[in-house]
Amino acid sequence: MARKAAVDAKIPDTALDGVADILVQLYGCFVKGDCDLAEINPLILKPTGEVHALDAKVSLDNNAAFRHPEWEEYSRTEVLDEREQLAKEK
């Protein structure tokens, strides 16, 4: 099944290990980080055969903030509009 998915996605055999490594790391980020969303777009294959994530997007589940005290530092950098700020205070 995994082989068919790799063929369908047109992933060269030489890149399978690199793609698998990045996907395992992405899954770990999603689960351990209490994410609502964790995506890579685009994922590229360099001419040297290396697989790289050029851009990524992560959205954290605010309901899990109590498990992640380190998020407090990030939240201080957030710019919220007036309505979001009011909702957060309530």
Side-chain angles (χ1 to χ4, degrees), residues 1 5 9 11-12 21 25 30 44 52 54-55 59 61-62 75 77-78 80 83 86 88:
M1 181 70 156
I11 300 169
D21 183 49
Q25 290 181 55
F30 182 82
I44 66 155
H52 282 273
L54 289 187
D55 194 18
S59 175
D61 180 359
N62 289 332
S75 68
T77 67
E78 277 185 302
L80 302 175
R83 292 176 298 163
L86 183 59
K88 193 172 184 177

Side-chain angles (χ1 to χ4, degrees), residues 50 79 84:
E50 297 169 292
V79 177
E84 289 174 314

Side-chain angles (χ1 to χ4, degrees), residues 4-87:
K4 182 180 178 339
V7 170
D8 290 347
K10 299 180 181 160
I11 300 169
D13 288 341
T14 56
L16 288 177
D17 287 340
V19 170
D21 183 49
I22 286 178
L23 291 178
V24 167
Q25 290 181 55
L26 182 65
Y27 176 77
C29 169
F30 182 82
V31 173
K32 293 174 190 166
D34 284 311
C35 295
D36 287 329
L37 169 83
E39 72 176 29
I40 295 172
N41 189 15
L43 184 66
I44 66 155
L45 179 62
K46 291 174 60 175
T48 59
E50 297 169 292
V51 179
H52 282 273
L54 289 187
D55 194 18
K57 181 178 182 178
V58 173
S59 175
L60 304 174
D61 180 359
N62 289 332
N63 294 318
F66 69 95
R67 285 192 290 263
H68 301 276
E70 68 276 11
W71 289 4
E72 181 62 33
E73 184 177 336
Y74 167 76
S75 68
R76 288 192 298 260
T77 67
E78 277 185 302
V79 177
L80 302 175
D81 73 27
E82 192 175 302
R83 292 176 298 163
E84 289 174 314
Q85 183 63 40
L86 183 59

